[in-house]
């Protein structure tokens, strides 16, 4: 099963404050452990919302709002995507993350094709497989 670990934003991440060398070193070691254990599929930090935008969909109308966005507690500063055997295993890995200053991380299970039931027809499953294979090919091109 796959889980996304969501690293919540704070005033420093939204201000563009970069991590210290110590934190980068600790995070590098942690990420190495995750990769060696076959857990980490992806992981990235995100730029502050001042460099982002939101798009609101209302019928055929699209409204774009440029950042920054004010509700810091609802914003994301980074993420990991993990492959583990269980929610408990993901929690155990997450408890080992090198955070110490009151950060709060969120763990969310990723839907798998079989979670969608009969509505996800064989044709739709094939389409999804093709799209994901193409996305995987494109990953290293940019």
């Amino acid at each position: 099963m796959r889980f996304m670990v969501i690293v919540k934003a704070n005033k420093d991440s939204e201000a563009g404050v970069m991590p210290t060398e110590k934190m980068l070193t600790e995070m590098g070691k942690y990420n190495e452990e995750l990769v060696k254990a076959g857990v980490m599929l992806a992981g990235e930090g995100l730029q502050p919302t001042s460099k982002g935008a939101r798009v609101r969909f209302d019928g055929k109308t699209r409204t774009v709002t440029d950042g920054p966005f004010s509700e810091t507690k609802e914003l994301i500063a980074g993420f990991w995507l993990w492959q583990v055997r269980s929610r408990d295993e993901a929690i155990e890995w997450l408890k080992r993350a090198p955070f110490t200053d009151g950060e709060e991380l969120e763990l969310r299970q990723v839907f798998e094709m079989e979670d969608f039931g009969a509505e996800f027809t064989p044709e739709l499953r094939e389409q999804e497989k093709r799209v994901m294979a193409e996305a995987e090919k494109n990953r290293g091109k940019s």
Side-chain angles (χ1 to χ4, degrees):
M1 44 182 44
R2 293 177 301 156
F3 285 86
M4 177 174 268
V5 178
I6 300 166
V7 180
K8 304 266 182 121
N10 59 34
K11 65 179 174 60
D12 285 343
S13 65
E14 277 299 290
V17 175
M18 298 304 287
T20 64
E21 181 179 348
K22 180 180 186 280
M23 181 56 164
L24 290 170
T25 300
E26 290 173 3
M27 193 59 69
K29 287 179 186 175
Y30 180 66
N31 285 340
E32 242 180 331
E33 287 180 52
L34 291 167
V35 169
K36 285 180 181 176
V39 170
M40 187 170 148
L41 302 175
E44 304 289 340
L46 302 175
Q47 296 276 346
T49 62
S50 61
K51 296 182 178 184
R54 288 183 176 162
V55 179
R56 180 177 173 81
F57 296 80
D58 188 13
K60 294 186 185 258
T61 303
R62 307 299 188 252
T63 306
V64 177
T65 305
D66 291 326
F69 307 118
S70 59
E71 289 297 320
T72 304
K73 66 181 186 216
E74 296 176 8
L75 302 175
I76 298 171
F79 70 92
W80 282 286
L81 186 59
W82 292 349
Q83 178 80 48
V84 292
R85 289 180 290 282
S86 68
R87 180 177 175 270
D88 288 341
E89 181 183 0
I91 290 170
E92 286 307 312
W93 276 106
L94 189 50
K95 286 170 149 180
R96 296 170 53 188
F99 294 101
T100 59
D101 294 326
E103 297 90 348
E104 181 177 65
L105 282 70
E106 184 175 332
L107 183 68
R108 303 274 301 275
Q109 189 170 351
V110 176
F111 278 111
E112 303 295 344
M113 280 196 250
E114 55 272 8
D115 296 326
F116 291 100
E119 291 79 10
F120 201 43
T121 65
E123 295 81 17
L124 291 172
R125 289 172 190 262
E126 278 305 311
Q127 177 188 34
E128 181 70 8
K129 287 177 186 174
R130 281 193 315 275
V131 167
M132 296 315 293
E134 189 67 27
E136 185 65 31
K137 278 196 261 180
N138 291 337
R139 191 176 303 216
K141 291 182 180 179
S142 56

